[in-house]
Amino acid sequence: MQNHRKLFRCIAGLLLLMILCVGLLILNIICGSISISFQDFFQLIIKQEVNETVRGIVMEIRFPRAVAAMILGGALALSGYLLQTFFHNPIAGPFVLGISSGAKMMVAVVMIFLLGKSIRVSSFVLILAAFAGAIISMLFVLLMSKRVQGMSMLVISGVMIGYICSAITDFMVTFAQDADIVNLHNWSRGSFSGMSWSNVCVMTVVVLAASFAVFMLSKPIGAYQLGENYAENMGVNVRCLRILLILLSSVLSGCVVAYAGPISFVGIAVPHLMKAYMGTAKPIWMIPASFLGGSAFCLACDLIARMAFAPTELSISTVTAIFGAPVVLWVMQNRRRGKG
């Protein structure tokens, strides 16, 4: 009976998250400096005649932005879940460990170098650059994790790596000559604005492919969570699994940085919120829940960023930090009580 209740809770939890994502997606599309009625939105969806201005605002600006926030938010939360699993550390995440900063640094290098030579930068090139930066930062974190003991020292090491990468990025941007590099400043603060359908198509393919691969690893991840020795006894190739976790988390976080810049606290906070919400830590439920939770979280934060002080738009990282940082403090406090 208890197993049936847990199963029902998990299924119902995922369905509610899906409904929440759809609701927030619609709100992000109809809400803004120019309000659009739900009737106009519905007519546009079913291909009926609507005002061309409304069509342009919805289809060219708000809809791709909302879909991008949903896809990238899910990718960021899932990347955080993989990193927390990999390090067995509750506050590991792409932003805290400096992985997002490493990806940002490499994207800035590519953009400055190519734009300075009047070479157009494709989405695929940006994703590759971000992935390379994420891998470089991850390798430094792995190196430090073998030399330091304790959660706090690992986090401090990651923060220092992040500061170094951010300092290098700021230095390059400061002395960049090309006028287009001004856009790097807004991008480096984190934003879902300026998304196009071509961007959405590329990120959807990359993120969904990586997410599917993560889901297929649900069983070995579940064994790995119980300890490396247990996983090996269950027939899991731990070394191969750890490499896959690194690569997949880097692809997911790198894709986010390539399009939206570094976004803070989503990768740390959402997996913990989903674990409490779902009432389970099993990967088969946590992987889709983390993705959907990250999507809903970023959709809500992006809506607040656009509407709170309209027409002025806040950085998405500002809003995610406001709601995500208290979750991290809560996790650290609970961990301290558990040790005490």
Side-chain angles (χ1 to χ4, degrees):
M1 182 64 72
Q2 190 174 3
N3 289 334
H4 288 299
R5 287 180 180 176
K6 286 184 177 180
L7 180 62
F8 176 78
R9 176 177 177 176
C10 291
I11 294 173
L14 290 180
L15 289 174
L16 287 174
L17 284 172
M18 291 179 189
I19 294 170
L20 179 61
C21 285
V22 172
L24 287 169
L25 181 70
I26 294 172
L27 278 177
N28 272 265
I29 293 171
I30 65 176
C31 295
S33 55
I34 298 176
S35 296
I36 296 171
S37 67
F38 183 79
Q39 182 179 1
D40 286 340
F41 172 71
F42 183 73
Q43 288 179 344
L44 183 60
I45 294 300
I46 61 175
K47 306 286 187 178
Q48 289 190 7
E49 292 295 326
V50 295
N51 185 287
E52 285 301 316
T53 302
V54 172
R55 181 185 296 276
I57 291 172
V58 170
M59 298 306 296
E60 301 301 325
I61 300 175
R62 293 185 186 173
F63 207 162
R65 175 173 180 157
V67 174
M70 187 167 63
I71 295 294
L72 298 180
L76 202 53
L78 191 53
S79 175
Y81 173 74
L82 292 179
L83 290 173
Q84 289 169 12
T85 301
F86 180 87
F87 287 106
H88 299 291
N89 191 320
I91 57 172
F95 189 83
V96 168
L97 295 180
I99 296 167
S100 292
S101 296
K104 180 182 80 170
M105 180 185 70
M106 289 303 294
V107 170
V109 168
V110 169
M111 290 181 71
I112 291 170
F113 178 76
L114 294 182
L115 289 176
K117 295 191 174 184
S118 300
I119 301 173
R120 188 173 180 179
V121 183
S122 69
S123 299
F124 185 68
V125 172
L126 291 181
I127 292 175
L128 283 179
F131 174 70
I135 286 291
I136 292 170
S137 294
M138 175 70 90
L139 291 176
F140 275 109
V141 172
L142 288 173
L143 182 63
M144 294 302 297
S145 67
K146 293 180 179 179
R147 294 177 176 270
V148 300
Q149 298 294 326
M151 177 181 67
S152 59
M153 288 304 297
L154 177 62
V155 171
I156 291 171
S157 300
V159 170
M160 292 303 104
I161 292 169
Y163 273 122
I164 292 169
C165 293
S166 294
I168 294 172
T169 305
D170 292 340
F171 179 81
M172 290 186 298
V173 171
T174 300
F175 291 97
Q177 298 297 320
D178 199 297
D180 291 333
I181 305 304
V182 175
N183 296 325
L184 269 172
H185 175 68
N186 294 328
W187 165 82
S188 65
R189 295 170 60 237
S191 175
F192 294 118
S193 63
M195 297 293 177
S196 66
W197 284 115
S198 61
N199 295 149
V200 171
C201 289
V202 175
M203 72 176 67
T204 300
V205 171
V206 173
V207 170
L208 292 187
S211 300
F212 179 75
V214 173
F215 186 76
M216 295 303 292
L217 293 172
S218 296
K219 191 171 182 179
I221 288 174
Y224 180 80
Q225 287 177 331
L226 297 174
E228 293 186 16
N229 291 333
Y230 177 83
E232 288 177 350
N233 291 333
M234 293 296 291
V236 176
N237 187 330
V238 172
R239 184 179 179 184
C240 182
L241 178 63
R242 287 169 66 90
I243 291 172
L244 287 173
L245 292 178
I246 292 172
L247 292 176
L248 290 170
S249 63
S250 297
V251 168
L252 291 167
S253 59
C255 187
V256 175
V257 173
Y259 286 107
I263 299 175
S264 60
F265 290 102
V266 178
I268 311 175
V270 171
H272 292 291
L273 291 174
M274 291 302 101
K275 192 179 293 183
Y277 169 71
M278 298 291 287
T280 182
K282 292 183 177 180
I284 196 169
W285 299 112
M286 279 297 297
I287 289 170
S290 294
F291 190 94
L292 291 171
S295 298
F297 188 81
C298 281
L299 281 169
C301 288
D302 193 43
L303 183 63
I304 294 170
R306 290 194 297 112
M307 299 295 294
F309 299 100
T312 302
E313 184 175 318
L314 296 174
S315 161
I316 185 66
S317 282
T318 301
V319 183
T320 56
I322 290 172
F323 293 102
V327 176
V328 177
L329 294 175
W330 169 68
V331 169
M332 293 179 69
Q333 186 66 24
N334 284 350
R335 184 181 175 87
R336 185 177 179 182
R337 286 176 181 172
K339 286 185 176 181

